[in-house]
Every structure is written in C-alpha cells, then in structure tokens.
Amino acid sequence: MVNTPYIINEIYDILQKSSPFELTLEALLALGVIWIVFYKRTTKKLPTSDEDILARWTPEPLVAEVPVDHPALKTKVVDGPVGKTVNVNGKECINMATHNYLGLAEDEDIKQAAIKSLRKYGVGSCGPRGFYGTVDVHLELEERLAKFMQAEEAVVYSYAFSTIASAIPAYSKRGDLIFVDECVNFAIQKGLDASRSKIFYYKHNDMDDLERLLQKQQTEDKRNPAKAKKTRRFLVAEAIYMNTGEVCPLPRLVELRARYKLRFFLDESISFGVLGECGRGLIEHCNVDKTEVDLVSAGLEWSAATIGGFCAGSSFIVEHQRLSGLGYCFSASLPPLLAQAAISALDRFESNPRIFDELRERCRTVSKKLPQLKHFQSRGDPLSPVKHLYLKQKHECWAHEKMLLDEISTECIDNGLAVVAAEYLENMEKHCPRPSIRLTVNRLLTDKEIDDAFRILEHVSEKVLASAG
C-alpha cells in the first residue's frame, strides 16, 4: 500500500509544476464537488404526492383585475344604420368615427343586391375556401378585383386584418429579412411576428434611414456571401398609414426596392377607393408601374363598406397564398352576401368615378379646418380620409393623455358628434403611437355638418381641458 507521506509528496510535486490557471481550475472543480455534495444533503425534498403538490400550488387568476372606470366597461351602443350620421347611446350624431369613406354603407342598390344574395345563399358559407366554402360569388369577386386592379390574379380573405397578417408569413420565413416602417398598423405587426423573420424598423417615412439600414445590411452580406445568397429580403409599407394618416413616399420606395433587390408588399387598405383617378390606390395616384410592387393587399371594410380583404398580383405570387395563407386556409370564407356587396361596390367604382374626386374634396375641406382647433395639432395628408388630432400640451403620462381624449370623445357624443380616441395595445405595439383622436371623412358630409363638427369639437375640448386643469 502507498503510505501517506508519499501521497502528500506527490501532491506537493504536482502543485509545484502546475500553472496558476491549472491551480485555479482545480480549486474551482474541488469547490464545485464540495458544494454539490453538501447541497444534496441539505436541500429539502419537494413533495412528491399529488396531494402535496396541489396543497402548495397557488393558481393565478384567469383575468387580471380591471378598474371599474375602464373604458372597455363603458360600451357605446349604436342603434340603427351607420352612415354619415349615427345614433350612439340614443343620441343622433354626425359620424366622423367610422371608415365609411365613400358612404356606400348607405347605398340602396348595394343593400338590395346583398338582400338578394342572402335569399339565394343564406347567411354564411360555414367552411374555409378549400373545404366546401367556395361559392360562385367568391370566384366572381376575385375575377372582378383582379380586373379592377389590373393584376393577373386576386385572392379574397374573410377579414381585412387577416389579409396582410396572413400574406406576410406566407412568403417570409425564419432567417429572412424584412424592412418595415415603424408606424405600420397592428395587422402588419402580427404578420411580422408570425413570419419569425428578422425585422428592421426604419423611421416613419424616412427614406434616408431606410437606405442606411439597407447599406448596413449590404455590408453584412459581403462578410458572408454564401448566407446572403440564400436570404430573402422584403420591404413592407402602407400606402396611407392608419396610425398617422400620412402617405408613404412610394416612388422613393420603388427606387430603393430596385436598387437593393427587395420584394415589395404594399398595404392599400385606406387608399383603395380613395386615391387614383379610378380609385385603384396610391400606385395609380403616383403613376408607378404596378410590376414594381410584388404584392398589393387591401381591406374591403373601408371604402367598399363591406367585410373582408384581398391580395392582388401575378398568378405566380398570389396562387401561393391558397396553400400558405393561414387566414385563407383555415377561416370560414366570406359570407356570400358580403361578397356580393363588394361586387356591387366595384360596380359603383367603375360606373361613377366622380365619387373619388368628391371624397378627396371633402378630405381637403377637413384638412383646411384642422388648424382652427386651439387645443390640437393635427397629422395626416390632405388627401387622406384619416386624420389624427394630438393635444398641443403633451403629457408625460401616456395613460393620462389617453384618458383626456376618451373624455373628449365621450362628451362629443353627448353634444352630437361621434369621434373616437384611437385605441392601441400599449404593451404589444412595437412602437406605440402617441394617444390621438382619429377623425374619418365621409364623402356625403356637407359643409354645414363639417362646420358643426368642428364647432362641437372645439367647445368640448375647451370644456374638458379646462376642468382637467
């Protein structure tokens, strides 16, 4: 047997020959072994039986506590049709809250066409497009939309929100790159999340900032050309931004798209039926070659005054969504009566293009009156049917500013004007906008009604802000 003095000598010899790094590593390993041994001896055993586990478990509430004065608990009830006027909580109001830009929700011919379709097909399809949910009016609507948008093909979705939220992840996947404006709407944000792509946000409508990001990525690509060759790059923008009412610089976007070889998706939800000689949107308004935009999406819930949305482009691109667009594949198809209403709206677009000029004139009239408001500063393009009003005196607390705007909008309803404070999911928005009152323009509003609306808004804001101190 080896005696103790020999072992000690050997250890001493090893220590003499070891470097400081080796000694430190050996000491850490020894301490780790000691800690593990003593930790196992001193750690209390967790309960193992089901009864013990359940006894120690404290469940979290399914729903967090909601303040009694939360706006969601004070629902505003609409009675009757929603047109240029609307009855809210029993009060007849001038309507500058809903997105019925062309006033087609009040069109009797469209109503009668929808009623006729209801009697023929019933109230719904009860199935996705690929599972007995495709009705002949769906195919007719897609054909009419493709023809109207001067595209090879169009695909129709059941909801405007799910249209762009499904289209983005149908093409862009993990590892791809997406360059997007920081003020895009929530539907686009959800599409970006679903794509699991790498997202680059550029400053709102700032083309210099976008080009800076593109140049930076170009430098990164040169370091790893093999990876860059396999990576797809996308550019996503709104024609008119819902969160600002401002128009995107489409010619500049198209220029950067071509220079840096990007696939370009444009959401024309607000501009469809608003901009362009024939109401086709910003592409027509700017006289841009439609082939420069790979995919156009739009909602039918604004100017067309129905439900649903569509994507239009080349057959090669659009057809892919019939197998990969989640909202198309798994949602019940658009009720036939609403598809017929959209077809009838297109009939109005084509037979009476003067309605677009009339709407844009109303938008200009509203824009000219915005500077008259003493307590607000405005944002939105003169041709946009969406305008945002922000308090001139900015508050540090986001929630307090939102509360003041909610009070103003509620008081406006009591005085005969329907407006809304824009709602945002503060904790979920990528770049949460500042609280604002969102005004919408209806083609059928008269000069007197617009004057009355601004008089009410000025009076109410003066009253509410004075009482708030």
Side-chain angles (χ1 to χ4, degrees):
M1 292 182 64
V2 180
N3 55 28
T4 303
Y6 177 78
I7 295 175
I8 295 174
N9 290 334
E10 285 295 316
I11 293 174
Y12 180 77
D13 187 54
I14 292 172
L15 292 176
Q16 288 285 351
K17 296 178 180 178
S18 299
S19 65
F21 172 76
E22 292 172 333
L23 290 174
T24 303
L25 182 60
E26 290 166 357
L28 290 174
L29 289 173
L31 291 173
V33 171
I34 294 170
W35 180 83
I36 290 172
V37 171
F38 281 95
Y39 176 79
K40 287 185 176 180
R41 289 182 179 180
T42 57
T43 302
K44 295 180 179 179
K45 292 185 177 180
L46 295 174
T48 54
S49 67
D50 293 342
E51 291 78 7
D52 290 339
I53 294 174
L54 290 173
R56 294 168 59 90
W57 178 56
T58 303
E60 294 182 3
L62 291 176
V63 180
E65 292 186 9
V66 179
V68 179
D69 60 346
H70 194 282
L73 300 178
K74 300 177 182 179
T75 305
K76 296 177 177 64
V77 180
V78 174
D79 183 19
V82 179
K84 72 170 184 176
T85 61
V86 59
N87 189 295
V88 185
N89 294 339
K91 185 74 177 181
E92 194 70 18
C93 300
I94 300 168
N95 185 4
M96 297 190 76
T98 61
H99 298 264
N100 179 28
Y101 308 142
L102 292 172
L104 297 186
E106 305 167 74
D107 190 282
E108 285 299 324
D109 291 338
I110 294 177
K111 289 181 183 178
Q112 292 304 316
I115 291 171
K116 184 178 179 181
S117 178
L118 172 65
R119 289 173 176 157
K120 179 179 180 180
Y121 298 104
V123 294
S125 58
C126 301
R129 290 289 301 274
F131 297 90
Y132 307 103
T134 296
V135 184
D136 54 359
V137 287
H138 294 133
L139 302 179
E140 181 183 355
L141 176 57
E142 289 177 341
E143 184 178 347
R144 288 290 302 278
L145 284 168
K147 180 181 178 182
F148 180 78
M149 297 298 292
Q150 299 178 338
E152 292 181 7
E153 191 170 346
V155 58
V156 170
Y157 284 80
S158 308
Y159 306 99
F161 189 99
S162 66
T163 303
I164 189 65
S166 298
I168 292 173
Y171 302 97
S172 184
K173 307 296 182 182
R174 188 190 297 276
D176 293 334
L177 309 178
I178 303 180
F179 298 87
V180 60
D181 192 292
E182 65 181 7
C183 288
V184 290
N185 62 54
F186 196 63
I188 292 178
Q189 293 177 41
K190 290 295 99 181
L192 299 175
D193 290 343
S195 73
R196 299 174 295 175
S197 303
K198 188 174 182 181
I199 312 300
F200 296 92
Y201 288 98
Y202 60 88
K203 295 177 183 178
H204 182 49
N205 275 349
D206 189 336
M207 297 299 96
D208 291 336
D209 191 49
L210 171 58
E211 187 163 19
R212 177 187 64 81
L213 292 173
L214 291 170
Q215 290 174 347
K216 183 178 178 181
Q217 184 58 43
Q218 195 174 57
T219 303
E220 290 291 326
D221 291 342
K222 291 178 180 178
R223 296 176 182 174
N224 192 347
K227 180 182 178 182
K229 190 176 181 180
K230 299 177 182 178
T231 303
R232 295 174 297 182
R233 295 161 185 77
F234 297 85
L235 176 61
V236 179
E238 289 181 75
I240 298 178
Y241 288 89
M242 175 64 76
N243 291 342
T244 66
E246 295 174 338
V247 176
C248 78
L250 183 60
R252 188 84 169 96
L253 287 170
V254 167
E255 176 190 337
L256 293 175
R257 175 255 184 197
R259 186 186 308 168
Y260 293 95
K261 298 179 175 58
L262 306 170
R263 295 169 171 87
F264 186 17
F265 292 176
L266 183 65
D267 185 3
E268 295 250 30
S269 289
I270 299 179
S271 56
F272 176 72
V274 174
L275 297 180
E277 182 180 353
C278 300
R280 295 189 179 97
L282 186 61
I283 296 175
E284 181 184 43
H285 177 76
C286 295
N287 196 28
V288 169
D289 185 353
K290 58 182 179 293
T291 61
E292 295 289 346
V293 181
D294 296 283
L295 187 71
V296 173
S297 70
L300 296 169
E301 301 172 7
W302 321 122
S303 292
T306 180
I307 302 294
F310 69 92
C311 290
S314 67
S315 296
F316 175 76
I317 293 176
V318 172
E319 194 68 25
H320 178 71
Q321 292 185 54
R322 300 190 190 278
L323 293 176
S324 300
L326 298 179
Y328 181 92
C329 295
F330 300 109
S331 294
S333 61
L334 186 67
L337 77 155
L338 296 175
Q340 181 58 55
I343 293 172
S344 300
L346 288 175
D347 290 338
R348 286 297 307 275
F349 285 13
E350 294 171 345
S351 64
N352 186 18
R354 292 193 306 275
I355 59 178
F356 308 123
D357 291 325
E358 293 171 3
L359 171 60
R360 291 192 289 267
E361 186 57 37
R362 293 291 87 189
C363 293
R364 291 190 188 97
T365 300
V366 171
S367 287
K368 289 177 182 177
K369 290 184 173 294
L370 291 174
Q372 299 175 11
L373 297 171
K374 297 178 183 178
H375 301 285
F376 293 101
Q377 58 187 20
S378 63
R379 192 175 189 181
D381 191 271
L383 297 180
S384 170
V386 175
K387 322 285 185 184
H388 284 264
L389 300 179
Y390 306 90
L391 292 174
K392 283 185 177 178
Q393 184 178 354
K394 187 174 182 179
H395 295 259
E396 292 184 4
C397 178
W398 192 95
H400 179 68
E401 193 166 358
K402 177 65 166 60
M403 181 194 69
L404 288 174
L405 295 175
D406 282 330
E407 289 182 15
I408 291 173
S409 63
T410 300
E411 188 72 19
C412 279
I413 291 173
D414 294 337
N415 284 267
L417 172 64
V419 294
V420 295
E423 293 290 345
Y424 302 107
L425 298 173
E426 185 181 1
N427 297 324
M428 297 179 66
E429 297 271 355
K430 302 301 181 184
H431 297 85
C432 189
R434 184 186 169 194
S436 65
I437 286 179
R438 186 172 61 219
L439 296 180
T440 58
V441 182
N442 187 308
R443 174 181 67 94
L444 302 178
L445 288 173
T446 64
D447 288 337
K448 182 181 182 304
E449 288 167 332
I450 294 174
D451 289 339
D452 289 342
F454 275 81
R455 176 182 54 78
I456 294 170
L457 189 55
E458 180 66 21
H459 167 71
V460 168
S461 60
E462 183 80 33
K463 176 183 174 181
V464 172
L465 294 175
S467 63

